[in-house]
Amino acid sequence: MSYLVLARKYRPRNFDALVGQAHVVQSLANALQALRLHHAYLFTGTRGVGKTTVARILAKSLNCTGADGQGGITASPCGVCEACLSIDSGRFVDYVELDAASNRRVEEITQLLDQAVYKPVLGRFKVYMIDEVHMLSTHAFNAMLKTLEEPPDYLKFVLATTDPQKVPATVLSRCLQFNLRPLALQTIQTYLAEVLAQEKIDADAVALRLIARAAHGSMRDALSLTDQAIAFGAGSLREASVRQMLGAVDRGHAVRLVEALAARDGAAVVAAIDALRALGLSGAGTLEEMASLLQQMAVAQAAPDAIDSQDPEASEVTRLAGLLPADETQLLYSIVLHGRAELGLAPDEYSGLVMVLLRLLAFPSEAAPVPDAAHSPGAAGASSRGGVSVALGPTAPSEPQSMRAAQSNGGFDADAAQVSPANAQPLIRTALGDRWEQIVQTLIRQSSVTALARELALQAQCVAIDGSVWNLRVERESLCAPAHRDKLRAALSLSLTQEIALEVEVGATDDTPARREAAARAQRQRQAEQIIQDDPVVQAVLQQYSTARIVPGSIKPS
């Protein structure tokens, strides 16, 4: 007995069995029940999402006669009448499937349309299904237009394409268009589990998740990969064998790399990549696995309740989400995502992988210690007094570092010069400012606001509170976006245990949490500089060596 592959054996025979396309099923079922039938349908979507399957079910719905032979048009074809059985087996004379990829010329379309003048032989309707319709030539489309717009009452067109942008607008305007969506990973995984249960094949959840991910939203690809995995695993699906078959990188390697990057340990990153090289694992596969892991981490950071608790990897994802700030997770995700395109340009794949991942370490971390200026080139010595570090060096023309950086390219950067607190607008403390600062600090400690919503809270000045209406003012117009405002409003309502309204205006500010923090830092810096200036040892060194000076920027409060 010949073996029937899973993709064919489990092809849905009716709308109830169709997975993941409820929006299409609902529209077609309602139209069939109300007998509001269009003469042309266009189904779009990526490969393996059910375009041809929907077309066949629609053809059966139009021609089904019921088990007793007395049925009519229905949204639930019986599957046992002659029309249903013949369409399923591909031998129904009134249902014609044409592959436009191999029949794209005007001659083939003209020959098909010449048969349209004849009424159905066995069925209630003739149904012409043209697959990959975007492959038709311009002349073929033109030849079809008139019949497509005003076909005989007994003729229905069903068109399918993976690239609707290549279908002429004149054709699109004559069809009802339905977009079949790529299936969600969880939907594919659940369906595969049901299929394998019917097949009495043992499979673990991680193996099914790997196959579902590799299918990229295509149920047909998922079932084909499952067939391959069954053969590769000698009748069972296990994570190790499926990873080997797919060439997928083990999640453990991605976890170790994320841990090393979170610890900002370059040596550990290089060692982990050397381990990948020793195992012969793909650099592109590593970045793909890391991108998947980082996406889950970002979800865990932004919406912890959205993580599937049944996922065996959920606890690991939650743990890793606590190792990186949300902004660094987003940055690393972007680096990994774009890094895949760079691997082919590198001298070899693994050196390219090293450079992609070390890129994160080139960005300063908020938690990273400030380098001691004593270790910088040209430093002559260092001193530490009262929790303050200072470097001493030879006398040189002194100028603010930001000014030198701005002038290094041959020009003056006015924005760079404004980094000094002395150039900032004066801070004018208010009672509302005191209250707003306390609230914002509470939100930040509780991680209730992140990213740009956090920035909005820090940069905003509370100008009025009228009952449940809070008025804020911010200088940067980009922070006034409704999405940031709504996130901040939701966090405030939760923290204050009452629903509030938040109004944000653009204008000059003089009392914001960010400005208060900048003023506090400036005060600490002035105190640190004064401590160094008054220190007897520093004064003695400066008097003993006439060329000695305090290196600008080297005094850092501890």
Side-chain angles (χ1 to χ4, degrees):
M1 183 177 178
S2 61
Y3 175 71
L4 190 62
V5 298
L6 296 178
R8 292 181 60 190
K9 183 176 181 180
Y10 289 94
R11 169 172 266 172
R13 307 294 182 186
N14 52 57
F15 287 127
D16 292 336
L18 194 65
V19 177
Q21 308 296 348
H23 62 296
V24 175
V25 170
Q26 180 179 342
S27 298
L28 293 177
N30 290 342
L32 289 165
Q33 290 168 0
L35 299 181
R36 298 180 63 88
L37 304 176
H38 203 270
H39 58 268
Y41 299 86
L42 174 64
F43 297 124
T44 67
T46 56
R47 70 190 187 285
V49 294
K51 299 184 295 297
T52 304
T53 297
V54 172
R56 291 183 181 178
I57 297 173
L58 179 59
K60 289 193 292 184
S61 298
L62 293 171
N63 288 292
C64 179
T65 59
D68 58 0
Q70 304 299 316
I73 297 173
T74 176
S76 302
C78 67
V80 297
C81 69
E82 181 61 26
C84 289
L85 292 174
S86 298
I87 291 173
D88 282 336
S89 61
R91 54 182 174 81
F92 191 62
V93 68
D94 294 319
Y95 176 68
V96 180
E97 285 190 5
L98 181 72
D99 179 18
S102 54
N103 298 276
R104 63 188 306 269
R105 298 182 305 168
V106 66
E107 289 82 4
E108 284 90 4
I109 292 299
T110 301
Q111 184 178 359
L112 179 69
L113 296 177
D114 286 344
Q115 303 301 315
V117 299
Y118 301 108
K119 290 188 176 183
V121 177
L122 299 175
R124 193 177 293 115
F125 292 94
K126 270 189 174 183
V127 180
Y128 286 171
M129 194 279 181
I130 304 178
D131 198 10
E132 297 300 342
V133 69
H134 68 275
M135 299 290 286
L136 289 179
S137 66
T138 302
H139 293 304
F141 274 123
N142 291 336
M144 188 175 64
L145 283 178
K146 187 61 178 177
T147 307
L148 183 64
E149 183 174 21
E150 297 179 358
D153 293 341
Y154 51 79
L155 180 61
K156 302 295 181 186
F157 281 95
V158 179
L159 313 180
T161 178
T162 55
D163 195 353
Q165 294 182 350
K166 293 183 179 179
V167 179
T170 51
V171 173
L172 295 176
S173 66
R174 289 166 167 82
C175 302
L176 285 185
Q177 183 172 341
F178 297 90
N179 182 34
L180 280 72
R181 302 164 183 162
L183 278 70
L185 185 148
Q186 187 60 47
T187 301
I188 296 178
Q189 184 178 349
T190 301
Y191 186 74
L192 291 181
E194 295 173 357
V195 167
L196 293 175
Q198 295 182 50
E199 293 289 311
K200 296 181 172 56
I201 293 176
D202 191 25
D204 61 47
V206 178
L208 295 184
R209 190 174 185 85
L210 289 171
I211 292 175
R213 186 186 302 161
H216 298 293
S218 169
M219 186 63 79
R220 183 177 63 226
D221 286 6
L223 290 169
S224 297
L225 287 171
T226 302
D227 259 326
Q228 183 180 349
I230 292 170
F232 190 87
S236 64
L237 275 71
R238 292 287 174 263
E239 178 186 359
S241 63
V242 171
R243 281 193 184 279
Q244 186 178 358
M245 180 194 80
L246 296 174
V249 175
D250 186 271
R251 173 58 64 94
H253 293 291
V255 169
R256 283 189 286 276
L257 284 168
V258 170
E259 289 174 336
L261 290 168
R264 308 189 76 80
D265 188 344
V269 172
V270 174
I273 296 174
D274 286 341
L276 291 170
R277 186 200 301 265
L279 294 171
L281 296 176
S282 162
T286 301
L287 294 179
E288 182 177 358
E289 185 65 31
M290 287 188 68
S292 174
L293 175 59
L294 289 163
Q295 183 269 334
Q296 292 175 291
M297 290 169 55
V299 171
Q301 291 169 338
D305 294 339
I307 294 294
D308 182 8
S309 59
Q310 303 301 319
D311 186 348
E313 299 171 344
S315 59
E316 186 78 311
V317 169
T318 303
R319 179 183 70 83
L320 292 172
L323 299 182
L324 278 173
D327 55 348
E328 285 196 19
T329 301
Q330 293 289 342
L331 175 61
L332 182 54
Y333 177 79
S334 180
I335 289 173
V336 166
L337 209 60
H338 291 88
R340 294 175 63 185
E342 299 177 12
L343 294 184
L345 304 176
D348 65 83
E349 188 178 42
Y350 292 102
S351 64
L353 181 61
V354 169
M355 291 303 295
V356 167
L357 296 183
L358 291 183
R359 189 169 301 158
L360 177 70
L361 304 188
F363 291 89
S365 170
E366 292 182 1
V370 178
D372 192 338
H375 300 293
S376 62
S383 176
S384 178
R385 288 290 184 271
V388 179
S389 63
V390 59
L392 299 177
T395 303
S398 62
E399 55 188 355
Q401 292 182 355
S402 59
M403 200 77 75
R404 290 199 302 272
Q407 294 175 347
S408 62
N409 292 325
F412 179 77
D413 188 340
D415 291 334
Q418 295 299 321
V419 296
S420 171
N423 292 330
Q425 294 184 16
L427 171 67
I428 303 176
R429 294 181 177 270
T430 63
L432 278 178
D434 294 338
R435 183 179 178 185
W436 178 243
E437 181 184 28
Q438 293 175 0
I439 292 174
V440 171
Q441 294 304 328
T442 300
L443 294 177
I444 292 175
R445 283 195 302 270
Q446 296 173 347
S447 299
S448 300
V449 286
T450 58
L452 291 176
R454 177 178 182 269
E455 189 69 11
L456 171 59
L458 288 170
Q459 299 291 344
Q461 176 178 351
C462 183
V463 294
I465 301 177
D466 185 6
S468 61
V469 180
W470 290 56
N471 295 90
L472 303 181
R473 182 183 301 149
V474 67
E475 293 184 352
R476 287 168 51 188
E477 187 174 359
S478 60
L479 292 176
C480 297
H484 314 327
R485 182 191 61 212
D486 292 345
K487 289 180 181 178
L488 179 56
R489 184 199 61 77
L492 285 171
S493 298
L494 186 62
S495 177
L496 299 172
T497 64
Q498 67 171 3
E499 195 66 26
I500 71 165
L502 194 63
E503 296 182 357
V504 183
E505 63 183 36
V506 178
T509 61
D510 48 33
D511 186 14
T512 68
R515 184 155 297 178
R516 289 185 174 215
E517 175 59 25
R521 285 198 303 269
Q523 177 64 21
R524 292 193 296 271
Q525 181 67 29
R526 287 193 295 270
Q527 292 174 348
E529 291 173 354
Q530 191 61 46
I531 290 173
I532 294 300
Q533 294 290 348
D534 295 343
D535 186 87
V537 174
V538 173
Q539 291 179 354
V541 170
L542 292 174
Q543 291 175 0
Q544 183 176 358
Y545 301 99
S546 59
T547 60
R549 69 184 182 95
I550 298 175
V551 177
S554 66
I555 301 176
K556 302 293 182 184
S558 299

